[in-house]
């Protein structure tokens, strides 16, 4: 029997091997899939596409105990196969606990399938951007929905399929487009023999609040880990860094020290809209400041032929496992200008530092489900109402009630981190077969550190300024897109907006870090010339 993924590829006249080249499937049965190869791990067969990085895991005694799929790097710059050879004993009674300690400091887009104590477990990256959905009926777990089942889709009755197919609303919480296929909460392990899930993070001792005098250690640990992670990732092959005019990509750029930044194969901005044109203008100024090449991919100049774009769109819809709206860069063909088979580093999860999802610092408000359900964009713009809130209330409450006591200190952050982000990236990233998209700033420890500062401080966006001043003050002083006027000139007014925010950060600097500020605010000057994208 063929998987639904194979059937859909045949129906839409696209290559299965190409469409699913970065995907995987874990099954109790060995499956013969075009372009996939299989290895056995405990009671399971792990099949993966030709482009997905796969390494076998061995412990300190040389015992083989599992497989790692995708790209992952720990806070010391080690790959999993290196870290787990340094003192990890897969046959120890404490092996599972030791592995989960390692996972807390592992960033990237990955899945681990391991046999410990006679049980085969599945773990994935902290937001499931590798794609992690499962079907109890077939007892499979895979990167996307259509690999999990062999039958036609039974459309999820909680959602308006037609709306989602045109980009209005999205599947969220633990849901997929199929009523009987579910998205794994990435902070749960799955015991594949029993097909049962159990939360393993956070640990009861993990803290999600901190005093102001701890902020220096928090920022420095994030910067040190981020630099080691990005440096190692850029050594694995071609890498691409998309830049915008906002916070998240600039934070990644600040973590790429001079040698690492020079090793990035490609730094670019896509221009699909006027807002993207602003992004590209700011990105160009960042690259000019650091003396690195910058590419602009403008849809008005570089759009691909229509048949190429339609073929790529069909592949995306099948690979994403949602038959949903196609991202703009695929729809207009700009994806072809991203280095093929590169690791594309996106700034997701850095936004936890600035509490993007919180809206309010009042924990009492976080206990009210309605506004959090609304933030999940489960329905189209303007269509959220009391009926929608009630429709998803039980699933929301099930997730909220699953949070451990220490996570309740940052419950709204966890709702964002564990439901909204996986539902978005777990569809978007597996759907792209041209390159391997990931976040290098998403280890559970980095997420924990990002949540710890005071919520009111985070909601002011001050952590972005303070982080950049600590990591790379040259990038901190350049205006963001929202500070520039409509004509994109770095006017005195725009420069003053940035200078005022930097001045506030410099005033905090000595108190936060116990060191003199890295620059004098009076010495900050606009770029000598406007850098056009």
């Amino acid at each position: 029997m063929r998987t639904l993924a194979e059937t859909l590829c045949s129906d839409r006249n696209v290559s299965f091997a190409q469409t699913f080249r970065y995907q995987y499937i874990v099954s109790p049965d060995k499956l013969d899939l075009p372009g996939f190869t299989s290895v056995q791990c405990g009671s399971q067969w792990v099949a993966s596409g030709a482009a997905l990085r796969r390494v076998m895991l061995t412990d300190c005694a040389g015992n083989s105990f599992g497989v790692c799929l995708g790209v992952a790097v720990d806070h010391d710059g080690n790959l999993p196969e290196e870290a787990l050879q340094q003192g990890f004993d897969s046959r120890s009674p404490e092996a599972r606990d030791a592995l989960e300690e390692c996972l807390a400091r592992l960033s990237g887009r990955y899945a681990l399938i391991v046999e410990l104590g006679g049980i085969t477990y599945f773990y994935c990256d902290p937001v499931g951007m590798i794609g992690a959905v499962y079907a109890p009926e077939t007892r499979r777990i895979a990167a996307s929905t259509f690999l999990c089942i062999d039958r036609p889709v039974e459309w999820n009755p909680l959602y308006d399929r037609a709306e989602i197919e045109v980009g209005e609303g999205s599947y969220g919480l633990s849901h997929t487009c199929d009523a009987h296929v579910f998205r794994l909460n990435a902070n749960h392990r799955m015991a594949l023999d029993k097909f049962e899930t159990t939360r393993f993070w956070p640990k009861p001792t993990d803290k999600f609040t901190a005093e102001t005098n701890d902020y220096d250690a928090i920022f420095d640990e994030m910067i040190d880990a981020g630099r080691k992670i990005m440096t190692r990732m850029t050594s694995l092959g071609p890498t691409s860094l998309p830049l915008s005019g906002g916070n998240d990509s600039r934070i990644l750029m600040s973590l790429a020290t001079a040698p690492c930044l020079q090793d990035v194969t490609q730094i670019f901005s896509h221009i699909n809209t006027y807002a993207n044109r602003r992004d590209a203008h700011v990105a160009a100024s960042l690259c000019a400041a650091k003396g690195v090449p910058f590419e602009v991919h403008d849809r008005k100049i570089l759009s691909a032929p229509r048949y190429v774009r339609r073929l790529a769109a069909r592949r995306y819809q099948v690979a994403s496992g949602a038959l949903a709206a196609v991202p703009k860069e695929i729809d207009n063909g700009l994806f072809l200008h991203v280095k093929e088979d590169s690791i594309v580093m996106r700034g997701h999860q850095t936004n936890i530092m600035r509490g993007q999802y919180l809206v309010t610092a009042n924990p009492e408000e976080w206990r009210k489900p309605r506004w959090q359900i609304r933030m999940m964009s489960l329905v189209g713009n303007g269509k959220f109402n009391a009926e929608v809130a009630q429709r998803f209330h039980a699933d929301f409450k099930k997730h909220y009630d699953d949070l451990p006591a220490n996570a309740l200190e940052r419950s709204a952050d966890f709702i964002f981190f564990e439901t909204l982000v996986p539902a978005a990236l777990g569809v978007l990233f597996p759907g792209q077969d041209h390159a391997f998209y990931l976040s290098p700033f998403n280890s559970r420890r980095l997420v924990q550190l990002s949540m710890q500062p005071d919520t009111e401080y985070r909601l002011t966006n001050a952590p972005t300024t303070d982080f950049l001043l600590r990591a790379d003050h040259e990038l901190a002083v350049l205006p963001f897109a929202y500070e520039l006027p409509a004509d994109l000139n770095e006017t005195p007014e725009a420069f003053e907006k940035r200078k005022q925010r930097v001045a506030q950060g410099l005033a905090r600097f000595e108190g936060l870090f116990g060191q003199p500020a890295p620059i004098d605010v009076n010495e900050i000057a606009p770029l000598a010339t406007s850098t056009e994208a």
Side-chain angles (χ1 to χ4, degrees):
M1 184 175 291
R2 295 199 304 176
T3 63
L4 177 59
E6 292 171 279
T7 300
L8 289 173
C9 283
S10 177
D11 292 346
R12 294 181 173 225
N13 196 27
V14 296
S15 163
F16 178 92
Q18 170 68 28
T19 303
F20 291 91
R21 61 200 293 263
Y22 283 121
Q23 297 201 30
Y24 70 91
I25 181 171
V26 183
S27 171
D29 305 309
K30 186 177 182 180
L31 302 176
D32 184 17
L33 300 170
F36 276 44
T37 57
S38 299
V39 294
Q40 192 166 17
C41 178
S43 62
Q44 305 293 309
W45 285 93
V46 182
S48 54
L52 184 62
R53 186 177 186 271
R54 184 179 75 192
V55 294
M56 303 306 293
L57 299 173
T58 55
D59 67 10
C60 61
N63 301 309
S64 178
F65 68 93
V67 57
C68 177
L69 304 173
V71 175
V73 178
D74 74 8
H75 285 204
D76 294 318
N78 294 315
L79 303 173
E81 60 267 31
E82 298 165 340
L84 293 170
Q85 286 181 338
Q86 302 172 13
F88 176 72
D89 180 1
S90 65
R91 300 186 180 182
S92 163
E94 291 80 34
R96 193 179 70 185
D97 290 342
L99 176 67
E100 291 171 1
E101 284 295 317
C102 176
L103 289 174
R105 287 170 168 76
L106 203 61
S107 272
R109 178 181 163 198
Y110 62 85
L112 269 68
I113 302 91
V114 297
E115 184 185 21
L116 302 172
I119 301 173
T120 308
Y121 294 103
F122 176 93
Y123 295 90
C124 68
D125 63 75
V127 290
M129 66 178 66
I130 191 68
V133 297
Y134 62 94
E137 66 191 82
T138 58
R139 298 178 76 88
R140 295 177 196 161
I141 187 165
S144 58
T145 302
F146 305 141
L147 286 172
C148 278
I149 52 179
D150 304 322
R151 55 167 173 77
V153 175
E154 293 186 23
W155 295 100
N156 197 319
L158 294 173
Y159 296 83
D160 187 325
R161 169 190 171 189
E163 279 192 359
I164 291 175
E165 288 181 359
V166 296
E168 291 289 323
S170 60
Y171 301 105
L173 293 164
S174 62
H175 305 139
T176 70
C177 70
D178 189 277
H180 309 292
V181 179
F182 306 96
R183 189 164 300 281
L184 177 71
N185 183 316
N187 292 318
H188 288 59
R189 72 174 87 89
M190 176 173 277
L192 292 164
D193 310 73
K194 295 183 178 181
F195 220 68
E196 295 177 348
T197 64
T198 307
R199 180 181 285 278
F200 73 91
W201 190 84
K203 300 299 183 186
T205 55
D206 289 332
K207 295 181 179 180
F208 293 93
T209 60
E211 300 298 325
T212 306
N213 58 10
D214 294 327
Y215 291 5
D216 59 340
I218 290 170
F219 281 104
D220 286 350
E221 183 178 343
M222 288 195 291
I223 292 167
D224 180 68
R227 285 183 170 156
K228 289 174 180 174
I229 290 165
M230 290 194 66
T231 297
R232 187 59 189 275
M233 283 187 178
T234 56
S235 75
L236 298 176
T239 48
S240 298
L241 178 61
L243 280 185
S244 74
N247 297 278
D248 303 328
S249 62
R250 191 176 303 199
I251 287 172
L252 289 191
M253 193 176 191
S254 77
L255 295 173
T257 53
C260 173
L261 196 58
Q262 295 292 340
D263 287 340
V264 175
T265 310
Q266 176 188 42
I267 304 174
F268 69 89
S269 290
H270 286 330
I271 296 182
N272 296 299
T273 64
Y274 176 73
N276 294 152
R277 201 164 297 280
R278 299 174 66 82
D279 286 331
H281 180 92
V282 173
S285 71
L286 301 176
C287 290
K290 305 308 291 185
V292 292
F294 174 62
E295 299 177 14
V296 175
H297 305 155
D298 191 331
R299 67 176 179 83
K300 293 183 178 179
I301 301 170
L302 299 175
S303 182
R306 190 176 184 183
Y307 78 91
V308 173
R309 292 183 279 122
R310 284 187 168 182
L311 181 63
R314 293 202 303 270
R315 292 203 310 267
Y316 174 84
Q317 288 194 311
V318 176
S320 66
L323 299 181
V326 176
K328 289 180 180 177
E329 62 267 25
I330 292 178
D331 188 47
N332 60 29
L334 290 186
F335 76 96
L336 291 170
H337 300 280
V338 177
K339 176 70 175 176
E340 188 173 8
D341 288 324
S342 64
I343 296 172
V344 184
M345 297 183 286
R346 298 288 298 272
H348 301 287
Q349 286 77 69
T350 59
N351 54 17
I352 294 173
M353 267 198 289
R354 52 191 170 84
Q356 181 180 0
Y357 182 66
L358 299 184
V359 181
T360 173
N362 182 358
E364 291 301 316
E365 292 294 318
W366 299 348
R367 298 184 178 93
K368 298 177 181 178
R370 179 167 173 151
W371 72 268
Q372 294 187 69
I373 296 172
R374 184 181 185 212
M375 288 290 287
M376 292 178 186
S377 301
L378 303 173
V379 295
N381 290 335
K383 296 183 179 180
F384 185 84
N385 56 29
E387 184 278 324
V388 174
Q390 185 59 36
R391 190 193 318 166
F392 292 103
H393 182 271
D395 288 292
F396 174 87
K397 188 174 187 303
K398 181 179 178 182
H399 183 89
Y400 187 93
D401 291 347
D402 179 61
L403 292 174
N406 52 339
L408 294 177
E409 297 174 311
R410 294 289 186 262
S411 61
D413 283 301
F414 268 89
I415 296 297
F416 164 72
F417 173 59
E418 293 190 339
T419 64
L420 181 63
V421 178
L425 300 188
V427 169
L428 176 65
F429 285 178
Q432 312 224 26
D433 61 39
H434 183 76
F436 193 74
Y437 288 73
L438 58 73
S439 169
F441 194 90
N442 73 328
S443 77
R444 293 172 175 90
R445 175 62 177 168
L446 285 171
V447 168
Q448 177 191 358
L449 292 169
S450 297
M451 290 183 190
Q452 285 183 346
D454 177 75
T455 306
E456 290 187 1
Y457 165 68
R458 291 163 62 205
L459 286 174
T460 64
N461 201 26
T464 296
T465 298
D466 296 342
F467 186 97
L468 289 170
L469 284 171
R470 186 66 165 166
D472 190 333
H473 64 263
E474 287 185 311
L475 300 182
V477 301
L478 296 174
F480 287 83
Y482 65 85
E483 294 168 328
L484 294 178
D487 62 6
L488 299 184
N489 289 318
E490 191 175 311
T491 62
E493 293 81 6
F495 171 69
E496 283 302 319
K497 290 178 183 178
R498 174 89 312 246
K499 188 173 179 179
Q500 287 171 16
R501 291 182 174 92
V502 172
Q504 292 168 357
L506 292 172
R508 291 188 297 267
F509 195 91
E510 187 169 355
L512 285 175
F513 301 111
Q515 296 178 7
I519 49 175
D520 184 336
V521 69
N522 296 313
E523 296 176 358
I524 300 174
L527 291 178
T529 58
S530 177
T531 305
E532 294 296 335

